[in-house]
Amino acid sequence: YGSGGRAIWTLFLVTFSGGWPNYTQRLVDEVHWAFALFFAAYVWVVVFAVTRIITALFLKDTLQAASDDADMVARETRLSKSKVAKKLRTLFAMADMSGDGLLTAGEFEAVVKLPSAQIFFQTLELRTEEVYDLFTLLDNGDGIVNYEEFCAGVVRLKGQARAADVIGTMRDCRLILDKCTALERRLDDICSQDGVII
């Protein structure tokens, strides 16, 4: 090594060596040590420039792959939704024994007992009890449910939408309770002014 400068030069050669030290060492040793500065700067710039370019290419490829993954996930989600819609249509058609496009409670109970329907409801993360509740919730009192109401209800009960609906329902109930309380106070005020006892 000989000196501190030569030791640093040797470490530089070891770190960034390719084939170039074989061609430059004679200039540094036999002509002038300043050639070490030139070659060090040159190698430093070239190595880091090439490294940056390669890193940029890898980063570009990685970002492209991530973008493709996002597109693939979106495509799979659309495909999954269309498969669920198709299965719901098949299930509704299977349940609609009269063929009138409406489900009665009897038709619905008959189809829910079928093993294929139970498996389908399990794939949607729905328990059979929830499905009975769904029919009761969708029924406006006339005992029938159409396809759109059925699909909307099943999707609402499926997965995370369930939690969002519960939160929305709790908020609505709180608003209704507040209005009822205000109405009760107002009614009490009116009754106390007129001397009416409730």
Side-chain angles (χ1 to χ4, degrees):
Y1 297 100
S3 67
R6 291 185 66 78
I8 291 172
W9 174 246
T10 303
L11 286 174
F12 184 79
L13 292 175
V14 169
T15 304
F16 294 107
S17 66
W20 66 271
N22 297 335
Y23 305 108
T24 60
Q25 192 63 40
R26 287 188 70 191
L27 285 172
V28 173
D29 289 341
E30 297 174 16
V31 178
H32 197 271
W33 66 267
F35 281 108
L37 298 176
F38 168 75
F39 286 114
Y42 175 77
V43 169
W44 185 269
V45 169
V46 169
V47 166
F48 278 103
V50 169
T51 304
R52 289 288 187 176
I53 290 170
I54 291 172
T55 302
L57 290 174
F58 279 128
L59 185 60
K60 179 182 172 244
D61 289 344
T62 302
L63 291 175
Q64 180 66 37
S67 172
D68 291 345
D69 283 348
D71 292 343
M72 185 176 66
V73 167
R75 229 176 296 122
E76 286 176 0
T77 302
R78 281 194 305 272
L79 183 62
S80 174
K81 284 182 180 179
S82 69
K83 284 181 180 179
V84 168
K86 188 183 278 186
K87 284 183 180 180
L88 281 174
R89 173 66 75 186
T90 303
L91 184 65
F92 188 86
M94 193 167 55
D96 184 19
M97 294 173 201
S98 62
D100 59 357
L102 300 169
L103 285 183
T104 64
E107 289 174 329
F108 191 70
E109 285 180 33
V111 81
V112 168
K113 292 178 182 174
L114 296 174
S116 59
Q118 289 177 356
I119 290 170
F120 175 69
F121 286 129
Q122 286 175 353
T123 61
L124 291 176
E125 302 169 13
L126 295 172
R127 296 189 316 266
T128 311
E129 315 76 73
E130 289 177 335
V131 178
Y132 284 120
D133 293 340
L134 168 70
F135 188 85
T136 305
L137 290 172
L138 294 179
D139 181 16
N140 59 4
D142 59 1
I144 55 174
V145 173
N146 66 26
Y147 174 71
E148 287 76 23
E149 293 170 332
F150 177 72
C151 282
V154 168
V155 170
R156 204 176 308 123
L157 278 177
K158 180 183 180 291
Q160 293 184 356
R162 202 177 324 179
D165 282 345
V166 168
I167 291 169
T169 303
M170 288 171 58
R171 185 202 62 214
D172 293 343
C173 288
R174 202 172 313 117
L175 290 172
I176 291 169
L177 181 62
D178 291 344
K179 289 186 183 217
C180 287
T181 305
L183 184 63
E184 183 180 19
R185 281 191 207 120
R186 179 86 173 118
L187 186 59
D188 286 343
D189 290 345
I190 291 171
C191 290
S192 65
Q193 288 173 359
D194 293 338
V196 178
I197 299 174
I198 299 179

